[in-house]
Amino acid sequence: MKDTKQQWFKDAKFGLFIHWGLYSILAGEYRGTKTDKIAEWIMNYLDIPVEEYEKLAEEFDPTQFDAEFIVRKAKEWGMKYIVFTSKHHEGFAMYHSKCSPYNVVDATPCKRDILKELKDACDKYDMKLGLYYSQAQDWHDPDGYVAKKDNSQKDYRAYLDRKCLPQLREILTEYGEIALIWFDTPLGTTKEESQEMYDLVKSLQPNCIVSGRIGNGLGEYMTTADNFIPRLPFEGDWEAPSTINETWGYNKDDHNWKSPEELIQLLIKINSRGGNYLLNIGPDGKGHVPDECMEVLDKVGAYVRENEEAIFGTKRLPYYPYDVLWGDLTCKEHYLYAHVFRKVRRIEILNINNKVKRAYLIRTGEELPVTVGKSCEGDGFIDIKVPERLEDEAYYCVALELEEEMPIFESIKE
Ligand code: FHN
């Protein structure tokens, strides 16, 4: 079972992923050819030569990027941490790297250390900052791995010594406390090499969490596959990295935004199964986050803020033998939370054996009538009467204060 040993991560439940790099300038299209794949992979999928791709740096001038604005928004949306791409597979460092001139200060006209701006804003607003770092894939360094291509002539060790390990050292020594390093796509990295990276992180910042995708089973929490939710409550610390549309990096043609309702349901489903939801935004080349994306997140944030006690700090729900048709459940200590996603007149929780002290609508604190009993078949149930004025509403949450510490669910009898 994976254990980060960091209480903040176990409690966090909701985080913001930011994919931002030179690919954001291309926005899914290069010289008239569009990619129908994830936009940050455009260099790879469209076979853009390094000498051409790297020229994008000369255009990088993100006049609309405002780190404080993004951090304030993440706070407002109820998120507890941010993970930012310090270097994605393209190999471009979004901070002032001393070991590679291919970075946002030395190679661009803007000369802004984006990571520093973000870290300062996070410190100002008391937000945890984690850093994505593509450890194995580096499409700019001649010896970095490139997925889907021939890597047989690469001197991976030379790349590790020349770029990967020194850059990890930089991001962990030059920017204060880093909450976690989000490794990704280890490809051919050996167990010894992953261990070396792990040891380096821990020697520089012992409390910095190492993500699951360092590879070779060494991460301190499980990172699910992209947009993947385990079917059942999953033990240990884990996180589901997810997109709001269909891409991570900005693609001007991808308007397939999930609705606020879908995102709220996904968040609660992940939380009820014991995980954190790491939800991505992809600013454009100027640093602007698409308006539709912000609008969706504002609505998700309103639900999260209003019902924070039913999200932040919740624990994995004990195995529950069926899907609740009106919504979903989360729990912590003496509380069970009923997140109502459909219009209903009663909220029934079946196959449960707890005594309930009281039920209240989190939004207002108003107590609601609750009955606890046994069905004719002898199964325990809890039944809450929804006030008439709420019968035409959905997306609210009712808290149940229980006498016992955790909900006690019965398994379904034959
Ligand atoms: O290849 C990357 C992809 O671009 C993106 O960063 C995601 C985020 O989880 N990780 C990899 C694919 O799983």
Side-chain angles (χ1 to χ4, degrees), residues 46-329:
L46 297 191
D47 288 315
I48 307 175
V50 171
E51 316 73 66
E52 281 183 37
Y53 189 88
E54 67 185 5
K55 289 204 187 88
L56 285 171
E58 292 161 23
E59 288 173 45
F60 193 73
D61 188 17
T63 48
Q64 291 176 42
F65 178 73
D66 179 347
E68 287 204 11
F69 173 73
I70 290 186
V71 176
R72 277 200 308 271
K73 275 293 183 186
K75 274 229 121 138
E76 196 184 305
W77 298 329
M79 292 157 164
K80 302 295 181 207
Y81 63 112
I82 292 178
V83 179
F84 173 64
T85 47
S86 62
K87 184 199 83 168
H88 203 267
H89 309 329
E90 64 179 2
F92 185 71
M94 292 294 279
Y95 71 95
H96 193 192
S97 174
K98 313 291 179 311
C99 48
S100 161
Y102 194 45
N103 73 68
V104 73
V105 175
D106 295 324
T108 69
C110 75
K111 310 213 171 303
R112 287 167 63 178
D113 186 334
I114 299 296
L115 173 51
K116 179 153 188 347
E117 291 180 20
L118 203 51
K119 179 65 168 117
D120 287 349
C122 285
D123 287 348
K124 180 165 173 186
Y125 294 102
D126 194 23
M127 173 68 80
K128 296 265 180 205
L129 180 65
L131 297 178
Y132 176 108
Y133 187 85
S134 175
Q135 76 275 33
Q137 288 205 71
D138 190 306
W139 303 336
H140 187 260
D141 189 288
D143 291 312
Y145 285 144
V146 185
K148 304 175 200 304
K149 309 281 169 198
D150 175 19
N151 290 297
S152 59
Q153 300 309 309
K154 302 271 164 100
D155 184 350
Y156 187 54
R157 183 70 243 174
Y159 153 75
L160 290 179
D161 292 334
R162 173 169 63 232
K163 192 164 178 187
C164 170
L165 296 170
Q167 286 203 328
L168 279 174
R169 183 175 285 280
E170 284 178 338
I171 57 180
L172 285 158
T173 51
E174 305 290 319
Y175 296 89
E177 195 178 304
I178 299 300
L180 60 86
I181 298 287
W182 217 97
F183 290 107
D184 204 6
T185 67
L187 299 186
T189 309
T190 63
K191 182 148 191 181
E192 290 69 34
E193 287 159 349
S194 294
Q195 186 72 53
E196 206 178 338
M197 294 172 200
Y198 180 93
D199 291 344
L200 178 64
V201 173
K202 291 294 175 181
S203 69
L204 297 170
Q205 295 206 25
N207 291 330
C208 177
I209 300 170
V210 174
S211 84
R213 294 198 192 166
I214 189 169
N216 297 295
L218 293 177
E220 294 174 289
Y221 68 86
M222 195 266 282
T223 311
T224 68
D226 296 345
N227 290 303
F228 177 82
I229 305 175
R231 182 89 186 84
L232 296 172
F234 190 83
E235 275 192 78
D237 295 338
W238 64 274
E239 178 192 63
S242 310
T243 52
I244 301 189
N245 49 355
E246 293 179 2
T247 180
W248 302 89
Y250 176 70
N251 183 332
K252 60 181 171 0
D253 296 317
D254 183 352
H255 303 284
N256 198 10
W257 306 103
K258 294 182 188 71
S259 68
E261 290 78 15
E262 278 175 273
L263 293 171
I264 293 167
Q265 292 195 31
L266 288 169
L267 168 69
I268 301 305
K269 186 178 282 190
I270 289 165
N271 294 168
S272 75
R273 291 171 193 187
N276 290 351
Y277 194 25
L278 183 63
L279 193 53
N280 182 71
I281 58 170
D284 68 16
K286 286 285 166 204
H288 176 77
V289 181
D291 295 341
E292 303 102 299
C293 173
M294 297 298 284
E295 282 158 24
V296 166
L297 282 169
D298 281 345
K299 290 187 180 138
V300 174
Y303 184 85
V304 174
R305 256 197 332 278
E306 188 169 271
N307 299 295
E308 219 194 27
E309 76 158 273
I311 296 170
F312 180 65
T314 53
K315 310 268 186 294
R316 175 177 57 92
L317 204 69
Y319 171 67
Y320 192 59
Y322 65 93
D323 283 334
V324 175
L325 296 180
W326 42 257
D328 216 333
L329 297 165

